[in-house]
Structure formats: structure tokens, C-alpha cells
Amino acid sequence: MKTYTEYLTIHTSELREIRAITEDVKAALKKCELTDGIVSVCALHANAAVTLGLNEPNFFADFWAWLDGLAPAREDYKLGRGFESNPATVLQSILAGAQTTLSFTEGRLDLGPWQELLYVEIDGQRPKRVALKFLGL
Amino acid sequence: MKTYTEYLTIHTSELREIRAITEDVKAALKKCELTDGIVSVCALHANAAVTLGLNEPNFFADFWAWLDGLAPAREDYKLGRGFESNPATVLQSILAGAQTTLSFTEGRLDLGPWQELLYVEIDGQRPKRVALKFLGL
Amino acid sequence: MKTYTEYLTIHTSELREIRAITEDVKAALKKCELTDGIVSVCALHANAAVTLGLNEPNFFADFWAWLDGLAPAREDYKLGRGFESNPATVLQSILAGAQTTLSFTEGRLDLGPWQELLYVEIDGQRPKRVALKFLGL
């Protein structure tokens, strides 16, 4: 059994932006030469998420509208100024999930035909990190 | 350390259907003869989910009503016809989560007394796949 | 490759309570002497959750208000008396997520500066369990 670690650094130009990172994970998988196991992908920030979805700009628009409906940025959160961002960014991270584990088999990620691993930046315009940890044979 | 892979194929007769897959995962665990480790369970489709919950028809009814309230199928999503299903199916998958990792100890899944692993089919009536990847001793 | 298992028992004095368990996971990591791998953290109850968030009382207040807005305890759920708790507790567990996987590198959990692993007790005042399973080198 071997492990392999990689940290992606993502610096979005927009405050909020979705970026498919499937290809980054595939590239790391190729580099580490593991062929069978799992990879944990985790956003190292309380206001970012890693989830499975579609890599389609129109879907991103639908996603943001939906997320803002369920966890709107408001001024009356109790957390207030104790946190650098609006607390809604953390609720949105919890809703979408900060962490996803994928398996890989014969050197390929186990993903469906439309499925993409999405990094969801909820408070960007600065470097943010995503931890990739591979375990396998 | 060993790995073991199995793909479940689930073909529901309804478009939407919840199916407990705890027994399928237990059967695979028995087959692979691992006794200590983790298993990643991931729906290989953007409109299905794998989550922990209760295996009770009345709970399923409550779950669907709740899910439809939070991510309703609407006609005004931007994704529109670019995707074969209503975009709400993907939002519902994100809400419930497409992937769950469980641990197992002394040959048994670590689950609480009422807990069941549920496959949530959001757009079925066709064969769909779930990837099981076991890692352990 | 080695594995290490630990079950946390959490007995909250309130029915609902959030407790940061980052330090418990760090202590277990130190004890098991693994330095590189992943740890799965899973609530062994259908009405509890394990998620990443902020360890701030004001955030906890915002979180509960938000959770109750999206999955309110109501009397008209179909599950009714078939389950010992209000079905909303299970929907809230699904929303926040019952399970999280973290990686660790050079003996340290991969977490961002504000990130904490939170145990979300949704129906407490009794002993509840959380399974920790470490895999690594």
C-alpha cells in the first residue's frame, strides 16, 4: 500500500466561482502510479466546497441561485464580524459538502459519464487549498 | 492491505425510489474477507445519491416531500435541455450527497442500530451503478 | 499499512448541541502513531451529524436557526411515532452529513486555519457514538 499527497492551490478571479477539478485529480493519479484505491478530496477552508455535479456554466448559474435561496447572505447572523466572511458562506459549504472521497480502479477514477468533481469557491480572490490524499496499490 | 471492488447495478421500476443497500455492502464485505478498514460507496450518476438514513417507507415519503420542497423540479432552470433530466435532480443529489464512506471492524460495518445506507434514485427506470471500494486488512 | 479504531462516546446535557471533536481526532492520531493516511469519522446514529465548520458559539446559533428553517420539526411527518425522535432530526442529519473523511500528513490533520470537525447532536441527552477509523502508514 502506498499513499500520495498533493495540494491544489486555486485562486479564482471572482469571489464565487465553480471549477471542475476532475482533470487535476486524474493528473495526480497518473503521477502517483497507483491503480487501485481511493482518494479523499477536501477543501481546506470553511467557505469552499468539493462536490460531485455537472461541469456546465448553466448548471453553475442554477446552483448559485439555489444555494443563495437556501442559505442567503444576510446581515443579521449572530456570528457577525467575528468571522472574516458572511456566515452564509459556511452554511453553503456545509450544504454542498467540503469533502468527497472517490475510488479508482485500473488507474481510472470511478465516475459516471456526466459526473465531475467540482471545487466550489464561495469566498475567493485569494489562494485557497484543496488536499488530495491517495491510498491504494 | 488489500482492496476489493464491486459495482452494484440498480434498476428501479419507479423514476424515483429509495433502496436500502446495507445488505449489499455487507454481502460484498463478507465476500472480500476483509475485517478491518473502510469502504467508499459512490453513486456513479449526477442524479442519484448515497446517504445514511432510515429504511422506512414513511420516512421515504417524508424525505421526498422535504427534498422537493428544497430543490423543486422547475421549468425555468438555466441548464434547460442541455441535460437529459431536470437540473433539480442534480441539486437533490448534492443535497443528499452522492458518496458515503463507512468503516468496518471485526468484519462488521460500523453502523448504529437504526442506520441504513440508502441509495436514492432520483431519475431511474434504467440501470444505474454504485461503486463499492473496500480498503483494509 | 496499519489501521486504528476508536469510538468516541458523546453524552450532551442538551438535546441539541454542537461539539468540536478536532482535538479528539488529533489525540487518537497521536496515539495510533500513523503519520500519513486518512481517517473516516462517522456518527453512529441517524440523528447526529459530523461536518466541517467553525467552532464558534455564535456560528452554532446561526447553524441551528438555518437548519430549523430548512428542516423544521413538524407534527405532520408520515413517519410519526414509528421512530423515537421527530423525523426532522434525520433530515437535519442528512443535510449536515453524518460522515466526513479527513486526510493527515506528517502526523497532522489536513485542515484549514478556521476549520473544525464538528459533532452535531440533534437528539442527545444520552450516550451517542462516533466511529473513527484511521488507515495509513
Side-chain angles (χ1 to χ4, degrees):
Chain A
M1 213 270 314
K2 267 192 6 177
T3 63
Y4 177 71
T5 311
E6 196 165 310
Y7 299 97
L8 306 179
T9 299
I10 298 175
H11 191 147
T12 59
S13 54
E14 304 297 324
L15 257 186
R16 310 207 305 176
E17 195 172 318
I18 294 176
R19 197 173 289 184
I21 55 171
T22 319
E23 292 306 317
D24 302 271
V25 178
K26 284 181 182 172
L29 176 57
K30 198 164 182 184
K31 210 187 298 177
C32 73
E33 299 184 346
L34 293 170
T35 56
D36 197 78
I38 62 174
V39 53
S40 162
V41 184
C42 186
L44 297 181
H45 301 267
N47 42 31
V50 170
T51 191
L52 290 165
L54 306 175
N55 186 14
E56 295 279 345
N58 281 334
F59 174 71
F60 298 168
D62 291 332
F63 176 83
W64 288 120
W66 173 72
L67 210 59
D68 284 340
L70 293 190
R74 293 185 340 214
E75 291 309 312
D76 61 346
Y77 285 112
K78 288 211 192 312
L79 184 58
R81 306 290 155 85
F83 183 60
E84 60 188 0
S85 317
N86 192 290
T89 61
V90 185
L91 301 176
Q92 294 187 349
S93 163
I94 291 174
L95 195 55
Q99 189 274 330
T100 297
T101 300
L102 295 179
S103 60
F104 52 91
T105 306
E106 296 178 7
R108 287 164 174 235
L109 286 182
D110 287 311
L111 280 176
W114 287 78
Q115 265 183 321
E116 295 267 356
L117 196 62
L118 304 177
Y119 173 74
V120 180
E121 179 57 82
I122 310 176
D123 188 27
Q125 293 180 325
R126 54 197 170 103
K128 307 272 287 256
R129 298 205 311 157
V130 176
L132 311 183
K133 178 74 74 176
F134 295 79
L135 264 89
L137 304 173
Chain B
M1 214 271 314
K2 267 192 10 179
T3 64
Y4 176 71
T5 311
E6 196 166 312
Y7 299 95
L8 306 178
T9 299
I10 298 175
H11 191 147
T12 60
S13 54
E14 304 297 322
L15 257 185
R16 310 206 308 175
E17 197 171 317
I18 294 177
R19 198 172 288 185
I21 55 172
T22 319
E23 293 307 318
D24 302 88
V25 179
K26 284 181 182 172
L29 176 57
K30 198 165 181 182
K31 209 186 299 175
C32 73
E33 299 185 346
L34 292 170
T35 57
D36 196 79
I38 62 173
V39 53
S40 163
V41 184
C42 187
L44 298 181
H45 301 268
N47 42 31
V50 170
T51 190
L52 288 165
L54 305 175
N55 186 14
E56 296 280 344
N58 280 333
F59 174 72
F60 298 167
D62 291 331
F63 176 83
W64 288 120
W66 173 71
L67 211 59
D68 284 341
L70 293 190
R74 294 186 339 215
E75 291 309 311
D76 61 347
Y77 284 112
K78 288 214 190 312
L79 185 58
R81 307 289 155 85
F83 183 61
E84 60 187 1
S85 316
N86 192 290
T89 61
V90 185
L91 300 176
Q92 295 187 348
S93 163
I94 291 174
L95 195 55
Q99 187 274 332
T100 297
T101 300
L102 295 178
S103 60
F104 52 92
T105 306
E106 295 178 9
R108 287 165 175 233
L109 286 182
D110 287 311
L111 280 175
W114 289 77
Q115 266 182 320
E116 295 267 354
L117 196 62
L118 304 177
Y119 173 74
V120 180
E121 179 56 83
I122 311 176
D123 189 28
Q125 294 180 325
R126 56 200 169 99
K128 306 272 284 257
R129 298 204 313 156
V130 176
L132 311 183
K133 178 74 71 176
F134 295 79
L135 264 91
L137 305 173
Chain C
M1 213 272 312
K2 266 191 11 177
T3 64
Y4 176 71
T5 312
E6 196 166 311
Y7 299 96
L8 306 178
T9 300
I10 298 175
H11 191 147
T12 60
S13 54
E14 304 296 323
L15 258 185
R16 311 208 303 179
E17 197 173 318
I18 295 177
R19 198 173 287 186
I21 55 172
T22 319
E23 293 306 318
D24 302 270
V25 179
K26 284 181 182 173
L29 176 57
K30 199 164 181 184
K31 210 187 299 176
C32 73
E33 299 185 344
L34 293 169
T35 57
D36 196 79
I38 62 173
V39 53
S40 162
V41 184
C42 186
L44 298 181
H45 301 267
N47 43 31
V50 170
T51 190
L52 289 164
L54 305 176
N55 185 15
E56 296 279 344
N58 281 333
F59 174 71
F60 298 167
D62 292 331
F63 176 83
W64 288 119
W66 173 71
L67 211 58
D68 284 341
L70 293 190
R74 293 185 341 213
E75 291 310 311
D76 61 347
Y77 285 113
K78 288 213 191 311
L79 184 58
R81 308 289 154 87
F83 183 61
E84 60 186 2
S85 316
N86 191 291
T89 61
V90 186
L91 301 176
Q92 295 187 349
S93 163
I94 291 174
L95 195 54
Q99 189 274 332
T100 298
T101 299
L102 295 179
S103 60
F104 51 93
T105 306
E106 296 179 8
R108 286 162 176 236
L109 286 182
D110 287 311
L111 279 175
W114 288 77
Q115 265 183 321
E116 294 268 354
L117 196 62
L118 304 176
Y119 173 74
V120 181
E121 178 57 82
I122 310 177
D123 189 28
Q125 295 180 325
R126 55 196 169 103
K128 307 270 287 255
R129 298 207 310 155
V130 176
L132 311 183
K133 178 73 75 177
F134 295 80
L135 265 91
L137 305 173

